[in-house]
Amino acid sequence: MVDYYCAATSPFAYLGHEAFCEMVRKARVPVALKPIDTVRMFAVSGGVPLKQRAPQRQAYRIVELERWAKYRGLPINPQPKHFPVSNDPGNMWLLAAVESSVEDGLRLLGAIGRAAWVEERDVSDTATLRALAGELGLDVERLAERAAAPDTCARYDALTQEAIDRGMFGVPTYVLDGDTFWGQDRLDFLERALTKDTNRKR
């Protein structure tokens, strides 16, 4: 099992998402999709919101986004119109989707990433989330109801605290057998670990 800690609007989650999904499918390893509140995590881990970072760091972030997009063969607008926006609405919809299947949640996360970083759509807006779910053939009304439910909010809070308790400080973060891999640029290391894990269980 790979624990996949993410945030709906993370550009690096978007950049690594397809590669990660292909990797776990190939390894036949189940995934636990765990969207978390990065604002709350940053507050206790020393992270700084994008607009508060030094100009040098903001500039280099753009370079990295473009570099990784080219490497992965993905389109990206590194400075989209609707960013930064709150992760919370998208994360709640992800939790609602996962109730049906992890695959639904993974598909929705991919769609949210494309909408934010390619299609110039506001993924903090409920109308956008409804449209994205509909485009995937998901049950929009059920997702909307579950995304707003108190127990879904409680689950979101619990996952965020879980990430904090496990010492996390950024997304995406992947955890396999207690080993943590932070960032989509660590997927090669995760793949090696998955290969070893799969071979060991044969």
Side-chain angles (χ1 to χ4, degrees):
M1 172 77 74
V2 178
D3 290 335
Y4 181 12
Y5 293 89
C6 65
T9 68
S10 165
F12 291 103
Y14 159 68
L15 288 171
H17 185 69
E18 289 184 11
F20 169 76
C21 290
E22 178 61 26
M23 182 185 302
V24 293
R25 278 194 292 266
K26 182 179 178 181
R28 298 182 180 178
V29 175
V31 174
L33 184 63
K34 298 185 174 185
I36 59 174
D37 181 352
T38 53
V39 173
R40 183 174 151 199
M41 179 178 63
F42 285 167
V44 298
S45 65
V48 179
L50 178 61
K51 289 185 176 180
Q52 297 176 27
R53 296 174 194 170
Q56 302 94 317
R57 289 180 176 271
Q58 294 193 40
Y60 186 71
R61 174 181 169 278
I62 299 298
V63 172
E64 280 285 271
L65 291 176
E66 293 175 334
R67 178 180 290 154
W68 275 101
K70 183 177 180 180
Y71 175 75
R72 298 227 183 261
L74 294 171
I76 194 169
N77 175 2
Q79 295 180 291
K81 177 180 178 181
H82 300 289
F83 188 84
V85 294
S86 174
N87 275 302
D88 295 343
N91 285 345
M92 299 292 278
W93 276 67
L94 291 175
L95 286 173
V98 166
E99 290 181 354
S100 293
S101 73
V102 173
E103 182 61 27
D104 284 351
L106 292 172
R107 289 170 61 217
L108 184 57
L109 177 56
I112 291 172
R114 288 189 299 275
W117 296 99
V118 181
E119 300 167 359
E120 293 281 23
R121 297 164 78 174
D122 181 358
V123 295
S124 69
D125 182 68
T126 299
T128 300
L129 294 168
R130 292 178 69 95
L132 290 171
E135 290 162 15
L136 295 174
L138 304 180
D139 186 338
V140 175
E141 297 307 322
R142 187 195 70 79
L143 289 181
E145 180 180 354
R146 291 300 302 145
D151 61 315
T152 304
C153 183
R155 172 70 173 155
Y156 185 41
D157 288 343
L159 286 175
T160 301
Q161 189 59 50
E162 176 183 294
I164 292 170
D165 291 344
R166 295 180 87 167
M168 293 175 192
F169 49 85
V171 292
T173 295
Y174 320 94
V175 182
L176 174 68
D177 295 336
D179 290 332
T180 298
F181 304 83
W182 170 55
Q184 63 87 34
D185 53 344
R186 297 298 183 269
L187 282 174
D188 285 350
F189 289 96
L190 176 60
E191 185 172 30
R192 293 188 189 100
L194 283 170
T195 300
K196 290 179 181 178
D197 188 63
T198 301
N199 290 337
R200 186 172 64 248
K201 293 177 180 177
R202 284 178 178 171

